[in-house]
């Protein structure tokens, strides 16, 4: 069995790579065969601290990982400004690409990456973990239940956390040369993805950013939000993302007959079980002295944490391609691109003075 | 004690008057002394069905109620288009005015009412019940806790319910001649009030309606929403209101250090106890494998339902005026006017093509 595992190479020693590399070791169909950093020492320490297999090759460059024939796929948690260079090179070297979000600084850059993956026949997936939690599928079933949920009318999503002084000074996500999209690209990625997910990835017609985002001194966005409009069934969605508010990861979804809420959609409070709260056909009581029913909690258990499920699914797709049984799954690059398209539209709306921006795919 | 109770006269037999008249009978400092309807028969049935005191005088006109010297205060649940006429007349006859929401079709009309009340020295209050639930005060303490909640950053409020075919055809709230503000004036009143309440009634600088509200054939709004912007500390608020979605009454309030949610703010699920859910200083766990703490439920019990507390507070203010110990409490008309100002701004933004509208008090 071991020899058939998909062998990951990891580019860089980002903090998030600690969590994702653990997932690679927990997933039954993947392993880690190489890690590269500009600093060999840093990579060596990282591999040791994160209990990489003895056999893992440790390199002092990213190129060496891409040149290693024992690497089937790369995980790229590098700063966004480096994604085009390294994801394209990886694809050209026939490595499948698991790319951290935001996948690119704009959709033009993303297209370069996706074209490279397509022409090399490698799988592309962004590392949005919550997509792979079984709760996500369960919540989608709720939305799809015409009888109990009715028509989708409104979505409000929030992803915020309170960055500390060190983050706000030093983190790559607030550095205009590394992650110029700031909170929009980072926290906003999830909030926007949640809206698209709820709408079965039907893109809105227009996006209108809310006035007065917060910026740091380098004009990197620290908080912002927008409304998304479909011009269809009066559907509306709004989101808010921030590095300046208490950790909050909410989706509120409202249908004609039902609604539900989740309060930890990005990373569940508990990695073994995810909850959401739903209700349908709510009614006033006699004399409007009360109403009901109260929302019910739905608990979805998972043996494997969502990041392991993500890695396992990526591995499964790569296996299929390697064995010649399947082509790369197009769903994932399409979802990434749609998310990026909305991020670009929000950024354009902000840049142009909070005007409505037409969404062009 | 009985002879000192504030004696209410009720104008009309609106459905909501059933609930509020019950409150007048439950409140220790009020009673009902008269009801008037254009139909004497309807008023007679209403008084009987709602267990009004034997002594209640039943009239076949609103004027007769206003001319009754045994009436201290009137409750006006008439269609909004009739508010100016009847609230002004009531004030001129020195009756204190408890007015249903929306208080007016626009702030110009409201000012006529408020000026009449002020020049007659009578108390004005709108009948927004949830303002009087002890939970509301408790939630305000949460927002005000600088140490645990930090600075207010974002509020999202929702008030929706699914109107049935009969409502959508016949209810006064969808009739352009009676309640031309539709869902914006009705459900939106609560959602907007919630936002202002959370901001200590500091008015936003601009309001921008979301595109594509739903309308009925008479161009009465059935669903809409907007963003409100303070141009101060990057605070943003959004709301959504509708007659076309499942019953949902949510406020989501986000601060730098804490956040809380309430899911039944307009009318609690249970009239004896109201809950909300709060958390502060939320953190990622090790390796971001989870986060916490989970939000806690706060349960606020109340012996008297919120509508009784509203009537009792109104009665207390009227007592103070009657005894010469107090002047009319200005807080309530100010809050009503601010709410109306925002409704007008949202309506103007919709009318002008979803552009930002400056808020002028």
């Amino acid at each position: 069995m071991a020899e058939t595992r998909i062998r990951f190479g990891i580019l860089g020693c980002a903090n998030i790579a600690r969590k994702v590399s653990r997932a690679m070791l927990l997933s039954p169909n993947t392993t880690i065969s190489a890690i590269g950093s500009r600093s060999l020492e840093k990579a060596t320490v990282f591999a040791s601290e994160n209990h990489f297999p003895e056999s893992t090759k440790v390199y002092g460059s990213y190129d060496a990982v891409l040149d290693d024939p024992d690497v089937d796929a790369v995980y790229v948690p590098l700063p966004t400004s480096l994604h085009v260079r390294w994801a394209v090179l990886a694809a050209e070297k026939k490595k499948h690409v698991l790319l951290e979000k935001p996948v690119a600084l704009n959709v033009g850059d993303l297209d370069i990456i996706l074209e490279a993956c397509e022409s090399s026949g490698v799988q592309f997936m962004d590392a949005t973990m919550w997509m792979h939690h079984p709760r996500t599928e369960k919540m989608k079933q709720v939305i799809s239940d015409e009888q109990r949920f009715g028509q989708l009318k409104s979505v409000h999503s929030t992803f915020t956390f309170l960055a500390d002084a060190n983050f706000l000074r030093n983190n790559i996500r607030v550095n205009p040369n590394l992650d110029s999209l700031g909170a929009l690209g980072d926290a906003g990625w999830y909030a926007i993805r949640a809206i698209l997910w709820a709408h079965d990835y039907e893109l809105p017609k227009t996006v209108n950013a809310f006035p007065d985002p917060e910026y740091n001194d380098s004009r990197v966005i620290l908080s912002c939000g927008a409304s998304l409009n479909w011009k269809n069934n009066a559907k509306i969605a709004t989101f808010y993302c921030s590095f300046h508010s208490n950790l909050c990861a909410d989706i509120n979804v409202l249908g004609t007959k039902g609604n539900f809420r989740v309060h930890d959609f990005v990373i569940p409070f508990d990695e073994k079980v995810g909850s959401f709260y739903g209700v349908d056909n709510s009614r006033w009581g006699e004399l409007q002295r009360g109403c009901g029913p109260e929302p019910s909690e739905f608990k979805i258990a998972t043996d494997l944490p969502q990041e392991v499920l993500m890695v396992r699914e990526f591995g499964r797709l790569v296996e299929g391609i390697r064995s010649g049984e399947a082509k790369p799954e197009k769903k994932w690059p399409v979802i990434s691109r749609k998310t990026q398209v909305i991020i670009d539209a929000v950024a354009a709306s902000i840049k142009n003075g909070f005007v409505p921006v037409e969404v062009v795919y």
Side-chain angles (χ1 to χ4, degrees), chain A residues 25 76 105 115 123 144 189-190 202 222 248 265 298 329:
Chain A
L25 300 178
V76 185
L105 295 175
E115 281 158 23
Q123 182 65 47
S144 307
W189 175 272
Y190 295 98
E202 179 195 349
L222 302 180
C248 178
F265 82 98
F298 297 85
E329 169 60 70

Side-chain angles (χ1 to χ4, degrees), chain A residues 5-10 24-25 30-36 52-59 65 68-73 95:
Chain A
R5 287 171 184 251
I6 300 303
R7 299 163 299 176
F8 269 103
I10 299 170
M24 291 165 186
L25 300 178
T30 61
T31 189
I32 299 169
S33 63
I35 180 168
F52 284 14
E54 288 291 330
S55 58
T56 305
K57 285 174 272 187
V58 179
Y59 296 116
V65 176
D68 187 330
D70 292 331
V71 168
D72 302 306
K95 311 299 187 193

Side-chain angles (χ1 to χ4, degrees), chain A residues 43-292:
Chain A
T44 306
V45 170
F46 191 91
S48 160
E49 282 183 353
N50 292 286
H51 315 294
F52 284 14
E54 288 291 330
S55 58
T56 305
K57 285 174 272 187
V58 179
Y59 296 116
S61 77
Y62 308 141
D63 283 299
V65 176
L66 300 186
D67 286 330
D68 187 330
D70 292 331
V71 168
D72 302 306
V74 290
Y75 168 58
V76 185
L78 298 171
T80 312
S81 59
L82 301 178
H83 284 190
V84 174
R85 176 171 171 196
W86 293 105
V88 167
L89 206 52
E92 287 172 355
K93 305 250 176 176
K94 309 293 180 197
K95 311 299 187 193
H96 304 274
V97 177
L98 179 61
L99 187 59
E100 264 304 331
K101 32 56 48 190
V103 287
L105 295 175
N106 54 64
V107 77
D109 279 3
L110 177 59
D111 281 344
I112 296 171
I113 296 170
L114 295 182
E115 281 158 23
C117 289
E118 192 171 348
S119 70
S120 285
V122 297
Q123 182 65 47
F124 173 93
M125 184 189 278
D126 68 54
T128 308
M129 301 169 184
W130 71 271
M131 304 302 301
H132 302 270
H133 196 293
R135 172 175 67 177
T136 304
E137 174 59 23
K138 197 78 190 166
M139 293 190 296
K140 176 45 68 86
Q141 286 171 14
V142 169
I143 302 179
S144 307
D145 185 341
E146 173 69 28
Q147 204 59 33
R148 293 178 64 183
F149 194 77
Q151 278 187 303
L152 179 61
K153 300 301 280 187
S154 162
V155 181
H156 181 69
S157 65
T158 306
F159 185 39
T160 63
F161 57 87
L162 185 61
D164 61 18
N166 180 47
F167 181 106
L168 292 173
R169 213 170 21 243
N170 301 319
N171 195 280
I172 61 169
R173 286 172 275 184
V174 294
N175 183 322
N177 300 315
L178 299 176
D179 262 311
S180 56
L181 292 166
L184 172 60
D186 185 60
W189 175 272
Y190 295 98
I192 290 168
R193 171 63 62 84
I195 290 171
L196 292 176
W197 163 81
H199 286 84
D200 274 336
Y201 303 102
E202 179 195 349
L203 282 171
K205 292 283 185 293
T206 61
V207 166
N208 201 338
F210 303 142
D212 296 325
E214 286 173 286
Y215 302 99
N216 69 10
D217 292 343
S218 308
R219 292 295 282 183
V220 174
I221 293 168
L222 302 180
S223 79
C224 70
S227 65
L228 289 73
N229 178 255
W230 279 258
K231 306 202 174 178
N232 171 12
N233 279 324
K235 286 187 298 187
I236 189 83
T238 47
F239 79 88
Y240 183 70
C241 63
S242 177
F243 292 155
H244 263 172
S245 288
N246 192 45
L247 174 54
C248 178
D250 274 21
I251 316 176
N252 289 264
V253 186
L254 192 51
T256 49
K257 298 180 187 171
N259 57 285
F260 75 86
R261 313 172 180 94
V262 56
H263 302 311
D264 56 353
F265 82 98
V266 174
I267 297 178
F269 296 123
D270 177 342
E271 70 176 352
K272 294 283 189 189
V273 60
S275 290
F276 68 97
Y277 301 84
V279 67
D280 59 75
N281 289 290
S282 307
R283 291 277 182 272
W284 302 118
E286 166 62 11
L287 277 183
Q288 298 194 0
R289 285 169 53 190
C291 58

